[in-house]
Amino acid sequence: MPQTVYDVTTWPGASVSPYVDIGKVMNEIIADIKATQTTQTTRPGAVIYIPPGHFDLLTRVTIDISHLQIKGSGHGFLSEAIRDESNASQWVETLPGASHIRVKNTDGNAEAFLVARSGSPATVGRLNSVEFRDFCIDGVSSSKPYIPGNGKTGILVQTDNDAFRIEGMGFVYLTHALVIHGADAPYITNNFIAECSSCIELLGASQVARITNNFLISAWAGSAVFAENAEGMLISGNSLLWYGSIRLLNTKRSAITGNKFVSSWPGMVILEPGSDENLISSNQFFRTDTESSINNGKDDYFGLVHLNGNNNTVTANHFSYGVATQFIRPAGAVPTIILVRGGTRNFLASNNIVSNVPSRVVLDASTTQTKVIYSAEDSQIQAFTTNYTKVPTP
C-alpha cells in the first residue's frame, strides 16, 4: 500500500526544512501522492499533518488531487492588530501559535494555497473532498482596512468542487481569507477569521453551502460573507463583528438564521438584485459607533438590513441601534433599520426594534406588495409607495 499519512516534519522525501518553506515540502508530498496513487480506483488520497510550530511558506501550495486532508493541531489565532496597536512588551506570547503557517511568498503568487485542476469537460477538473483543518494561515503584516493591504489570499479554490470542508482554521492578516469558485456543498464551520478584509467569498456559483459557527471579523472595506449566484445556502450560528456584513448577489432560497451581528456600519445583511425567496430570521443585530471616525460609504439611510429582491422573508429578528446622535450619517438623519430598496412581495413580520434615537422601516417607491406586520410602530413606517400592507406594532 502506498503511504497515505505524511508529517511535514518527518517525511524523508523533503528537499528543504518545512520551517524554511513548508509550501515546497507540501508540493513535494502532493507529487509523491500522485506518483504512488496512479489508477482510477486506487486513489484514496492522503493526510498531510502539520504539528505545532512556526512554519514559513515561501512557495504556493498547489492542490490538484481529491480526498486530501491538510490538518494541524489547533487554529492558533492571536490578534495581530491588537498586538500592533498595543504595547506588547509584557505579553506572554506575540505570535499566533499551534500549527502556524506564515505566508511569506517569494514566488510571485498571492495565495498560500491554490486548489485547481485543469480538464475538459469540467467534470474532469472537478475536485472532491479536500479538507483544511485546525491550523493557522497568517499573512504576517498588514494595515487596515486590509484592501489592498498585503494582497495575500489564504485559500483560493479555482476548480469546480464538491464536499470541501474548512473547519477549525485560523486566518489573520489576509486581504482575502477564503475564496471558493464553483462550490457544491462546501462546509465551512468553527473557523476564526479575523483582521482580514473579506472572510468568505463564494464566487461564480454555488449550491447548498453551509457556513456555520464561525467568528467572522472583517474590516469596513470587505464583507464577512459574500456570495454570488448561490442556491440554498445556510448561514447560521455565526458571530459577525466589526463590519459584520453578509452580502448576497443573485442568491436564492437561502437562510440567514441565528447569527449575532455587531457592526460599526449599516449593511449587516445586503440582498442585491436577483436575491429572491431568502429567509432572514432569528438574528440579533447591534449597530454601534466604535469606529465613528471612519466612513465606509454606507450612511444611515442604507439600513441594517437592505433588501433588493423578491419574496424574501425577514422575521423574528431583534434590532438594537445604539449610535450617538453626533455620529449618525448624514447629520440629522433618521436611521433606517430595514430598507426595502426594490422588489415585490417581501414579507417583514414580528421583528423588534430597540433604538436610542427615532428610527424607521422604509419602503422605496419601486417596491410592490410588501407586507410589514408587527415589525415597526406606525410612526416608524415610511413608505414612498402605496402598494403595500401594514399591521403596525401596537
Side-chain angles (χ1 to χ4, degrees):
M1 290 292 294
Q3 182 174 355
T4 56
V5 179
Y6 298 78
D7 184 323
V8 296
T9 62
T10 61
W11 183 55
S15 64
V16 65
S17 166
Y19 300 101
V20 173
D21 188 1
I22 193 173
K24 186 174 183 181
V25 174
M26 285 189 179
N27 284 333
E28 291 171 345
I29 290 172
I30 292 168
D32 187 73
I33 296 167
K34 293 164 65 176
T36 56
Q37 299 183 23
T38 57
T39 63
Q40 189 179 47
T41 57
T42 58
R43 287 185 170 147
V47 173
I48 300 176
Y49 175 61
I50 308 165
H54 302 295
F55 300 90
D56 287 347
L57 184 145
L58 308 182
T59 305
R60 180 182 69 188
V61 180
T62 299
I63 297 170
D64 58 358
I65 59 175
S66 293
H67 313 303
L68 178 67
Q69 183 185 79
I70 301 177
K71 65 181 293 185
S73 289
H75 67 68
F77 179 86
L78 178 146
S79 173
E80 296 186 316
I82 292 175
R83 177 201 64 199
D84 291 345
E85 295 167 0
S86 306
N87 180 357
S89 61
Q90 301 302 311
W91 288 21
V92 175
E93 59 271 328
T94 56
L95 287 177
S99 303
H100 173 216
I101 292 178
R102 296 181 288 210
V103 183
K104 298 182 177 180
N105 297 57
T106 59
D107 61 354
N109 294 303
E111 54 277 346
F113 293 88
L114 173 67
V115 184
R117 181 165 67 188
S118 61
S120 181
T123 51
V124 175
R126 184 180 176 93
L127 288 163
N128 300 281
S129 302
V130 174
E131 299 186 31
F132 296 85
R133 302 175 65 102
D134 301 321
F135 65 95
C136 183
I137 302 177
D138 173 12
V140 182
S141 64
S142 194
S143 58
K144 298 173 183 176
Y146 310 125
I147 284 184
N150 56 27
K152 296 177 182 178
T153 297
I155 300 170
L156 172 60
V157 181
Q158 285 187 333
T159 297
D160 286 353
N161 56 89
D162 192 4
F164 274 33
R165 189 180 186 101
I166 295 89
E167 181 170 2
M169 294 288 293
F171 297 83
V172 62
Y173 268 1
L174 299 161
T175 299
H176 304 276
L178 174 62
V179 182
I180 306 179
H181 294 257
D184 187 349
Y187 189 31
I188 304 167
T189 189
N190 294 331
N191 302 290
F192 206 110
I193 308 178
E195 292 152 19
C196 301
S197 179
S198 293
C199 297
I200 298 169
E201 299 165 79
L202 299 180
L203 304 182
S206 66
Q207 59 181 350
V208 294
R210 293 184 62 184
I211 301 174
T212 62
N213 303 324
N214 302 286
F215 281 94
L216 304 175
I217 306 172
S218 57
W220 58 89
S223 300
V225 177
F226 171 68
E228 61 182 4
N229 310 314
E231 169 73 35
M233 298 177 68
L234 173 63
I235 305 174
S236 181
N238 302 287
S239 293
L240 303 100
L241 310 171
W242 199 12
Y243 180 36
S245 176
I246 295 173
R247 184 163 68 95
L248 306 182
L249 171 64
N250 194 36
T251 291
K252 295 178 171 58
R253 289 169 287 276
S254 296
I256 301 171
T257 64
N259 300 285
K260 171 67 175 179
F261 294 82
V262 180
S263 179
S264 294
W265 299 275
M268 299 183 206
V269 174
I270 305 170
L271 300 189
E272 296 188 350
S275 294
D276 304 332
E277 300 179 50
N278 298 290
L279 172 66
I280 303 168
S281 179
S282 304
N283 303 285
Q284 186 178 47
F285 297 87
F286 177 35
R287 165 81 161 91
T288 183
D289 58 13
T290 56
E291 299 277 359
S292 56
S293 63
I294 298 167
N295 186 344
N296 78 338
K298 294 179 175 62
D299 62 27
D300 282 286
Y301 291 131
F302 191 83
L304 307 189
V305 171
H306 182 105
L307 303 179
N308 198 349
N310 306 313
N311 296 299
N312 297 292
T313 296
V314 182
T315 185
N317 299 285
H318 183 96
F319 295 92
S320 298
Y321 187 94
V323 178
T325 302
Q326 66 267 31
F327 298 133
I328 294 173
R329 297 191 183 94
V334 177
T336 300
I337 304 301
I338 303 173
L339 172 63
V340 185
R341 178 68 181 84
T344 187
R345 295 183 301 276
N346 289 296
F347 183 68
L348 283 55
S350 301
N351 298 289
N352 189 39
I353 297 172
V354 178
S355 179
N356 64 320
V357 297
S359 58
R360 288 179 177 151
V361 171
V362 177
L363 314 181
D364 275 4
S366 64
T367 61
T368 59
Q369 300 184 55
T370 306
K371 294 180 176 62
V372 184
I373 300 172
Y374 287 174
S375 291
E377 297 178 6
D378 193 50
S379 62
Q380 292 179 293
I381 301 171
Q382 184 177 33
F384 296 94
T385 174
T386 58
N387 191 347
Y388 73 101
T389 301
K390 66 177 178 180
V391 180
T393 303

